[in-house]
Amino acid sequence: VKRVIVTGASGFIGRHSLRWLIERDYAVDAVTRSGTGSPSAPEGASINWHRADLHDPAARRDLIAAIRPTHLLHFAWCTEHGEYWSSPANLDWVATSLALVREFADAGGERAAVAGSCAEYEWTGGDPLSERGSRIAPGSLYGVAKDSLRRVLAAWAGDGGPSLAWGRVFWVYGPGEDRSRLVPSIAVPLLAGEPARLANGHLRRDYVYVEDVARAFVALLDSDVQGPVNIASGKAIELGRLAERIAEEAGNGDLLTVDADPGASGESLEIVADTGRLNREVGYETGVELDDGIARAVASWR
Amino acid sequence: VKRVIVTGASGFIGRHSLRWLIERDYAVDAVTRSGTGSPSAPEGASINWHRADLHDPAARRDLIAAIRPTHLLHFAWCTEHGEYWSSPANLDWVATSLALVREFADAGGERAAVAGSCAEYEWTGGDPLSERGSRIAPGSLYGVAKDSLRRVLAAWAGDGGPSLAWGRVFWVYGPGEDRSRLVPSIAVPLLAGEPARLANGHLRRDYVYVEDVARAFVALLDSDVQGPVNIASGKAIELGRLAERIAEEAGNGDLLTVDADPGASGESLEIVADTGRLNREVGYETGVELDDGIARAVASWR
């Protein structure tokens, strides 16, 4: 029996992962700090929900001892929009994640997949970012924290620790997203007949639909691929074009203002993933095209 | 008032740091897991000893709340000879160190100095290892753990965290050293009239006397230098010559066997520090020459 503990299970990506774990015959133990249940859990599916503060060592150990998972899918992290980039809570999540993976392995856990970030890479643009070729030089405390956690876990995995995969998530969008993030920050006002504004419309980023991200993580967990794997679409879209596509679905396109300042320096013009590892080694291809994903996301906020 | 909390205070380096902290007018709170007191504490000096398991969050927070330190000198880590290179306890120490520094800063702590290691560098030999020019590519779980801790703390220090210095310690020797380490593993048998053997006598390493290391850390803490600083002598000695020097002091040199295999690959022939930052920015020069340090160390085991 494959028994997986999912942290951040009611979070943006986590909630979408549950049905795909069940589809792959995992017994699912879902951990959340606050709520229980999830709108994305399939009808009638058996999910054991646990409410626990992972920062609490006693609660964490009780959880592992009660579940005795063979697999770990670790999404939980600080994600307060706009604040998580430089929040000292990143230190807490490095510490708690190390403890969690160690306790998981000590209790017989075999295989873990942990959520990393494209923020681990140096963002100087140019070629698609690849796990083996691109420079790691995070420009934020969040990126450094994720990268440093990965370094320790990977070194341990190579020296007696559990089998470990690390999914580097690019720009995720879709139903369940925090309303302050880019896609809903345009869609929700337009749906309500209110003005919406986008900065940096000239930038190009790799946007990927949340359900694809969740499915890719489940495929990654279920594989024996070791180390970092980009979780992305492999395609960059100009943010201005993304905003227009949202307006096509939400209506009230005349209330949308797109600012662009191609001459401004600082932010890299294009950041896109090389998805070769995900496609060929994990065997997962993202399936939801942007046009369709935006339609679904906007429908969820209607 | 400068009030410093010293972790690992009865450890090899920590115990030697106390007198120099007092000399620089610090009120000293010394934390140890097991014992209390220290043979190196000056007579009559006022040191508050605390027995605490730093891995225990409640004990750690009680300690910080009771002491309210302005300064932190963090030596504690797993140090079991031969095992610490790949022990999963390294994960625990990364987690505990992050929590400790965060709690220290949250309680008003201003300045921390943390013990790092030359094991953070890539050991391919060649030029002296420098903080700004040399490649960071640790070859062990221990080195990765120290390096990753440093990355997170440095990113935080640059983004709202406390003032932080990081001392990269090279090969330390001297009184109080674990008997299984290189210098006592030769000196103690020879003193007892028993045979001693050294492998890899052809390698050259940067050996530095423990009291110099402790004094350098205190100088580093008392400075406003940020980031990594090599704590070393800046001079490499051939291990075979080091063993001969030990035998000169301990006697029974005829019982010493030195193996050397200059043709063997794998270990870098010479690893030595560039001590420019320590000397010029911190203003500390190591003062105990190897001939003298070996004499003192051997005398301590006689």
Side-chain angles (χ1 to χ4, degrees):
Chain A
V1 172
K2 301 184 292 186
R3 178 167 288 278
V4 65
I5 180 168
V6 184
T7 72
S10 60
F12 180 36
I13 301 172
R15 77 180 68 176
H16 290 278
S17 71
L18 305 177
R19 66 168 69 234
W20 306 111
L21 289 163
I22 289 165
E23 192 198 48
R24 289 195 187 229
D25 295 324
Y26 284 86
V28 178
D29 285 87
V31 184
T32 179
R33 179 161 185 173
S34 43
T36 57
S38 157
S40 303
E43 293 286 330
S46 167
I47 294 170
N48 299 316
W49 282 93
H50 306 266
R51 187 182 298 203
D53 176 4
L54 293 173
H55 293 318
D56 176 348
R60 206 171 53 225
R61 286 186 210 115
D62 288 350
L63 199 66
I64 298 277
I67 298 170
R68 299 194 66 81
T70 56
H71 289 67
L72 167 65
L73 188 48
H74 180 40
F75 292 117
W77 201 269
C78 51
T79 56
E80 300 77 16
H81 186 68
E83 293 187 13
Y84 73 89
W85 290 105
S86 61
S87 168
N90 283 294
L91 278 70
D92 305 338
W93 279 107
V94 174
T96 289
S97 301
L98 288 169
L100 176 69
V101 177
R102 168 121 204 242
E103 289 154 9
F104 162 76
D106 285 352
E110 295 160 15
R111 167 84 175 159
V114 179
S117 170
C118 62
E120 297 163 45
Y121 290 111
E122 184 174 51
W123 283 359
T124 48
D127 295 331
L129 296 168
S130 83
E131 300 87 346
R132 286 177 184 127
S134 296
R135 194 170 133 83
I136 298 296
S140 65
L141 177 55
Y142 169 73
V144 170
K146 286 282 189 183
D147 172 51
S148 298
L149 172 61
R150 180 192 58 78
R151 288 171 187 266
V152 178
L153 292 179
W156 186 38
D159 202 1
S163 171
L164 181 92
W166 182 267
R168 288 200 181 120
V169 181
F170 281 65
W171 280 264
V172 191
Y173 72 97
E177 180 168 13
D178 187 283
R179 295 298 169 94
S180 56
R181 288 163 58 93
L182 189 137
V183 173
S185 79
I186 295 167
V188 172
L190 293 186
L191 283 167
E194 292 164 9
R197 187 170 205 119
L198 173 82
N200 293 316
H202 62 291
L203 300 181
R204 294 187 300 276
R205 296 290 181 262
D206 188 325
Y207 269 80
V208 57
Y209 190 63
V210 63
E211 199 167 281
D212 261 330
V213 173
R215 289 186 75 171
F217 263 105
V218 172
L220 180 59
L221 179 72
D222 213 31
S223 76
D224 58 5
V225 171
Q226 303 291 317
V229 175
N230 290 338
I231 308 276
S233 71
K235 295 172 194 160
I237 183 167
E238 197 172 75
L239 299 190
R241 172 66 202 125
L242 176 67
E244 285 162 15
R245 174 69 195 120
I246 295 166
E248 285 167 23
E249 288 295 324
N252 295 312
D254 54 317
L255 295 173
L256 171 66
T257 309
V258 173
D259 298 326
D261 187 2
S265 62
E267 291 232 51
S268 182
L269 205 59
E270 175 170 301
I271 304 174
V272 63
D274 176 336
T275 56
R277 266 209 109 183
L278 178 64
N279 301 157
R280 288 189 294 271
E281 296 183 46
V282 181
Y284 186 82
E285 301 256 0
T286 54
V288 181
E289 293 297 328
L290 192 91
D291 276 357
D292 183 29
I294 290 295
R296 293 200 218 174
V298 172
S300 78
W301 297 313
R302 196 177 299 276
Chain B
V1 172
K2 301 184 292 186
R3 178 167 287 277
V4 65
I5 179 168
V6 184
T7 73
S10 61
F12 180 36
I13 301 173
R15 77 181 67 178
H16 290 278
S17 72
L18 305 177
R19 65 169 67 234
W20 306 110
L21 289 163
I22 289 165
E23 192 199 48
R24 289 195 187 231
D25 295 325
Y26 283 87
V28 177
D29 284 87
V31 184
T32 178
R33 178 161 186 172
S34 45
T36 59
S38 157
S40 303
E43 292 287 329
S46 167
I47 294 171
N48 299 316
W49 281 94
H50 305 267
R51 187 182 298 204
D53 175 5
L54 292 174
H55 293 317
D56 177 348
R60 204 172 54 226
R61 285 185 210 114
D62 287 350
L63 199 66
I64 297 278
I67 297 171
R68 297 194 66 82
T70 57
H71 290 67
L72 167 64
L73 188 49
H74 180 39
F75 292 118
W77 201 268
C78 51
T79 57
E80 300 76 15
H81 185 69
E83 293 186 13
Y84 72 90
W85 290 104
S86 60
S87 169
N90 283 292
L91 278 71
D92 306 339
W93 279 106
V94 174
T96 290
S97 300
L98 288 169
L100 176 70
V101 177
R102 168 121 204 243
E103 288 153 10
F104 161 76
D106 285 352
E110 296 160 15
R111 167 84 175 159
V114 179
S117 170
C118 62
E120 297 164 46
Y121 289 112
E122 184 175 51
W123 283 0
T124 49
D127 295 331
L129 295 168
S130 84
E131 300 87 347
R132 286 178 182 125
S134 295
R135 193 170 135 83
I136 297 296
S140 64
L141 177 56
Y142 169 74
V144 171
K146 286 282 189 184
D147 172 50
S148 299
L149 172 62
R150 180 192 59 78
R151 288 171 187 266
V152 178
L153 292 179
W156 187 38
D159 202 1
S163 171
L164 182 91
W166 183 267
R168 288 203 181 116
V169 181
F170 281 65
W171 280 263
V172 192
Y173 72 97
E177 180 168 14
D178 186 284
R179 296 300 170 93
S180 56
R181 288 162 58 94
L182 190 138
V183 173
S185 79
I186 295 167
V188 172
L190 293 187
L191 284 167
E194 292 164 10
R197 187 170 204 117
L198 173 81
N200 293 316
H202 62 293
L203 300 180
R204 294 188 299 275
R205 295 292 180 262
D206 188 325
Y207 270 79
V208 56
Y209 190 64
V210 63
E211 200 168 280
D212 261 330
V213 172
R215 290 185 75 170
F217 264 105
V218 172
L220 180 59
L221 179 72
D222 214 32
S223 76
D224 57 5
V225 171
Q226 303 291 316
V229 175
N230 290 337
I231 308 274
S233 71
K235 296 173 195 160
I237 182 165
E238 197 172 74
L239 300 189
R241 172 68 200 123
L242 176 67
E244 285 163 15
R245 174 71 195 118
I246 295 166
E248 285 168 23
E249 288 295 324
N252 295 312
D254 53 318
L255 294 173
L256 172 66
T257 309
V258 174
D259 297 325
D261 185 4
S265 62
E267 292 232 49
S268 183
L269 205 60
E270 176 169 301
I271 304 173
V272 64
D274 176 336
T275 56
R277 264 210 111 183
L278 178 65
N279 300 156
R280 288 188 294 271
E281 296 183 45
V282 180
Y284 187 81
E285 302 255 0
T286 54
V288 181
E289 294 296 329
L290 191 91
D291 275 358
D292 184 29
I294 290 295
R296 293 201 220 173
V298 172
S300 79
W301 298 312
R302 196 178 300 275

